[in-house]
């Protein structure tokens, strides 16, 4: 670790004087808490830190204060609240900046080089060094996973800029702190401990705080608390906390971020509409929330991100009447800056046509008969390559009353599409492919899940697509209980079609005879997981095209899946071959011939694994 961090810090240093200065720093003594080999490792990490730019240093120290697997969005929220990035005012710009900084810190070997899309992690020893640096340079007080600890002394309070109490037992909660320099206060209890009640005067001595993040806390009354005194507050998080009347939060006119995830709030009062600087509102899993006052959402005209998944407020049962639910969605339509939306409801009739005048950058929208936070009918536990969290745009339509129509075409940039129980699915996927006809296979769809959809005999007709290239970005295809499905695709498929497909899972498609017909046997180069189950009429997995002029006596006896990790074939009573050759029509207009010849028997099949 020492060699890697020093090498990363000096890899672009060409002047001999720079190397001599680095050597001098490496020889310098380290803090007393680090001795022997750890002392030398400390100095090497400090050297790498010293070569960082100012914004990288601030980001690195913030990363060390977060959980072992820190979330990018948390870092964005803190950075915006603390005004770390000058001239960056939107969440999207801040998110892009944070991603770039995280990448640089990984290149410097100060963060672990994992592949997570929405999180980051740090080596434990590097974290300890960073915490030591944060304490000395940024006057940070930090406690992590402790049962017995003490609050900072009065002298320490006077200079303290950040306080982090993470996953620790909290018993001695003082009535009042005097922290005039404090910018950030974070506190959560150890998991399993009861909620901690906050004294009314607790925040009186920290009036300059910009970020207040409290998890698993209890407020007897926010109205009588000292939170309204925090006039410089820009980020307020009361996640998983016991809190009722939040009207006083409307007095915090500088607030940009408000998060109440998993809290016990029952109403979003009219006073919240006074937060005209608010750019992010998170009400995820506020399951007791049943009232949103009129014009609150529309009053937040600067709002860029709104999270409401897991709320019952838009549900038929336990929420508002249909007029109020429609009104809330209408208010969303007036938010011209809205770029991210997560929302969930079970009545397609309240979804107005033309709801979004522009494409959202990120969304997770679910219209479902049942209250679910994930794809209800798709069992993904065993599908290793699948990463739903890595998608930016998710749309779930699982409701008998839904017809795919103009009102849903604003989601043409969808990446994860789950459709179930729809009566008239029509040419949904053809429309997704044809939206930008000037570009072949313009669809951004990565994950397609279809289940329990009646009257669906063919999913996609490739004859209507330019050059026959379809879904070259698709990574997972899940088909469940499609009783009338006879063809996944009709028409000619080129080698580029489905070229990024990693997962195929087909179950309960009783009329399906094969999965795909391809131009050659190597058309799925990325395939990792293939599972076929309970398809009564399936005779072969794949059909491989052969032109009329090709050697009819030549038999392909090898099919190569270099990435395949898992192959499961269950309850396929008529399966006789893995693939068969099929005669390719000379023109697309002649249609597709179903004459199959030269089946490759399962006993003779050769599948290559690497």
């Amino acid at each position: 670790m020492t060699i890697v961090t020093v090498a990363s810090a000096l890899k672009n240093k060409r002047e001999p004087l720079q190397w001599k200065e680095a050597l001098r720093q490496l020889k310098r003594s380290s803090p007393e808490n680090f001795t022997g080999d750890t002392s030398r490792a400390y100095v090497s990490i400090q050297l790498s830190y010293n070569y960082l730019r100012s914004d990288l240093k601030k980001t690195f120290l913030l990363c060390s204060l977060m959980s072992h697997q820190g979330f990018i969005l948390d870092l964005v929220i803190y950075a915006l609240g603390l005004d770390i990035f000058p001239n960056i005012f939107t969440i999207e710009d801040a998110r892009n900046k944070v991603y770039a900084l995280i990448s640089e810190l990984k290149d410097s070997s100060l963060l672990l080089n994992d592949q997570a899309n929405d999180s980051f992690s740090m080596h434990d020893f590097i974290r300890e060094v960073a915490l030591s640096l944060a304490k000395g340079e940024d006057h940070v007080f930090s406690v992590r996973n402790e049962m017995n600890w003490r609050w900072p002394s009065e002298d320490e309070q006077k200079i303290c800029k950040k306080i982090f109490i993470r996953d620790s037992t909290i018993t001695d909660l003082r009535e009042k702190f005097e922290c005039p320099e404090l910018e950030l206060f974070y506190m959560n209890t150890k998991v399993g401990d009861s909620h901690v009640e906050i004294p009314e005067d607790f925040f009186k001595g920290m009036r300059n705080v910009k970020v207040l993040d409290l998890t698993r806390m209890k407020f007897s009354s926010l109205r009588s608390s000292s939170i309204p005194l925090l006039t410089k507050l820009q980020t307020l998080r009361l996640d998983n906390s016991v809190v009722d009347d939040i009207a006083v939060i409307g007095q915090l006119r500088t607030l940009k971020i408000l998060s109440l995830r998993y809290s016990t709030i029952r109403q979003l009062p009219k006073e919240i509409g006074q937060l005209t600087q608010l750019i992010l509102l998170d009400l995820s899993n506020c399951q007791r929330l049943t009232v949103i006052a009129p014009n609150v959402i529309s009053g937040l005209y600067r709002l860029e991100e709104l999270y409401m998944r897991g709320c019952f407020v838009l549900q038929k049962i336990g929420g508002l009447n249909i007029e109020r639910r429609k009104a809330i969605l209408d208010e969303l339509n007036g938010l011209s800056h809205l770029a991210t939306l997560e929302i969930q409801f079970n009545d397609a009739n309240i979804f107005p046509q033309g709801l979004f005048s522009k494409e959202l950058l990120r969304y997770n929208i679910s219209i479902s008969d049942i209250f679910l936070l994930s794809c209800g009918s798709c069992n993904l536990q065993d599908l290793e390559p699948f990463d739903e969290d890595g998608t930016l745009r998710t749309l779930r339509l699982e409701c008998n009353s839904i017809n795919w129509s103009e009102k849903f075409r604003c989601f043409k940039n969808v990446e994860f599409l789950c459709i179930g129980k729809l009566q008239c699915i029509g040419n949904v996927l053809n429309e997704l492919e044809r939206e930008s006809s000037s570009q072949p296979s313009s669809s951004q769809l990565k994950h397609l899940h279809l289940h329990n959809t009646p009257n669906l005999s063919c999913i996609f007709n490739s004859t209507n697509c330019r050059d026959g290239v379809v879904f070259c970005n698709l990574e997972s295809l899940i088909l469940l209980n499609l009783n009338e499905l006879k063809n996944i695709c009709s028409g000619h498929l080129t080698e580029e079609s489905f070229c990024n497909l990693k997962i195929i899972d087909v179950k309960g498609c009783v009329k399906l005879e094969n999965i795909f017909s391809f131009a050659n046997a190597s058309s799925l180069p990325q395939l990792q997981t293939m599972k076929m189950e309970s398809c009564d009429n399936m005779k072969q997995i794949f059909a491989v095209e052969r032109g009329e002029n090709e050697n009819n006596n030549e038999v392909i006896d090898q099919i190569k899946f270099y990435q395949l990790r898992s192959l499961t074939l269950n309850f396929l009573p008529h399966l006789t071959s893995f693939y068969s050759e099929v005669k390719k029509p000379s023109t697309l207009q002649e249609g597709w011939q179903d004459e199959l010849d030269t089946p490759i028997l399962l006993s003779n099949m050769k599948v290559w694994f690497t």
Side-chain angles (χ1 to χ4, degrees), residues 550-584:
E550 296 180 23
N551 185 2
N552 291 336
N553 295 321
E554 180 182 352
V555 177
I556 303 173
D557 65 350
Q558 294 179 350
I559 185 165
K560 301 178 181 180
F561 295 118
Y562 290 112
Q563 304 295 326
L564 193 63
R565 302 176 186 173
S566 173
L567 173 62
T568 304
L569 305 175
N570 283 332
F571 306 109
L572 308 174
H574 291 95
L575 184 68
T576 58
S577 63
F578 192 80
Y579 70 90
S580 294
E581 296 178 13
V582 62
K583 291 182 180 179
K584 181 174 64 176

Side-chain angles (χ1 to χ4, degrees), residues 415-433:
E415 292 184 353
F416 179 110
L417 179 61
C418 179
I419 296 179
K421 306 179 184 178
L422 268 68
Q423 297 297 322
C424 299
I425 189 172
N427 295 318
V428 176
L429 303 176
N430 284 326
E431 292 174 7
L432 287 175
E433 279 291 334

Side-chain angles (χ1 to χ4, degrees), residues 464-528:
N464 297 323
C465 187
R466 173 176 172 170
D467 298 331
V469 179
V470 297
F471 296 113
C472 61
N473 293 314
L474 195 70
E475 296 180 13
S476 73
L477 178 63
I478 314 293
L479 307 175
L480 302 178
N481 302 324
L482 305 178
N483 293 330
E484 299 299 321
L485 185 67
K486 296 180 180 179
N487 298 291
I488 293 177
C489 286
S490 64
H492 175 68
L493 284 181
T494 65
E495 186 174 348
E496 292 79 14
S497 298
F498 299 96
C499 60
N500 282 301
L501 193 62
K502 298 178 181 178
I503 300 171
I504 300 175
D505 189 353
V506 181
K507 181 179 181 181
C509 299
V510 294
K511 294 185 178 182
L512 192 64
E513 293 188 4
N514 61 58
I515 304 300
F516 292 126
S517 295
F518 283 112
N520 61 65
S522 302
S523 295
L524 297 174
Q526 303 299 323
L527 190 64
Q528 298 178 22

Side-chain angles (χ1 to χ4, degrees), residues 141-233:
F141 177 82
S142 176
V143 175
R144 182 189 303 268
N145 296 317
E146 296 288 348
M147 295 186 65
N148 299 302
W149 54 278
R150 66 170 185 84
W151 290 97
S153 65
E154 291 185 3
D155 289 339
E156 291 172 326
Q157 290 180 35
K158 291 177 182 179
I159 62 172
C160 194
K161 292 185 177 180
K162 296 180 181 67
I163 293 178
F164 270 78
I165 313 298
R166 182 179 295 279
D167 301 325
S168 297
T169 300
I170 301 171
T171 55
D172 177 25
L173 204 56
R174 300 186 178 190
E175 188 69 22
K176 187 178 178 181
F177 270 89
E178 290 296 336
C179 299
E181 302 295 324
L182 193 66
E183 296 180 336
L184 186 154
F185 185 89
Y186 174 95
M187 181 168 64
N188 76 341
T189 61
K190 187 179 287 292
V191 175
D193 288 357
S194 58
H195 288 68
V196 174
E197 186 162 355
I198 304 292
E200 291 184 357
D201 294 335
F202 187 73
F203 303 107
K204 278 188 175 181
M206 50 179 82
R207 300 197 182 199
N208 287 316
V209 73
K210 294 181 178 180
V211 176
L212 180 61
D213 191 341
L214 306 173
T215 301
R216 291 189 291 275
M217 298 293 129
K218 181 179 180 180
F219 294 87
S220 56
S221 172
L222 273 185
R223 189 176 296 275
S224 60
S225 76
S226 50
I227 285 184
L229 300 176
L230 306 179
T231 57
K232 296 183 179 180
L233 196 64

Side-chain angles (χ1 to χ4, degrees), residues 2-66:
T2 300
I3 295 173
V4 171
T5 53
V6 172
S8 298
L10 296 176
K11 63 182 178 181
N12 294 319
K13 310 303 178 187
R14 301 183 182 278
E15 297 296 328
L17 290 177
Q18 293 176 306
W19 286 75
K20 288 182 179 180
E21 172 59 18
L23 179 61
R24 185 191 68 80
Q25 293 186 42
L26 287 172
K27 290 180 177 179
R28 191 173 58 186
S29 60
S30 63
E32 58 185 14
N33 290 339
F34 298 87
T35 60
D37 292 338
T38 60
S39 173
R40 288 185 286 274
Y42 175 95
V43 177
S44 69
I45 295 169
Q46 186 181 37
L47 172 69
S48 185
Y49 171 80
N50 289 340
Y51 278 105
L52 297 177
R53 299 190 313 272
S54 175
D55 55 352
L56 279 170
K57 286 182 177 180
K58 293 177 181 179
T59 304
F60 173 64
L61 295 183
L62 267 180
C63 289
S64 70
L65 294 166
M66 298 171 67

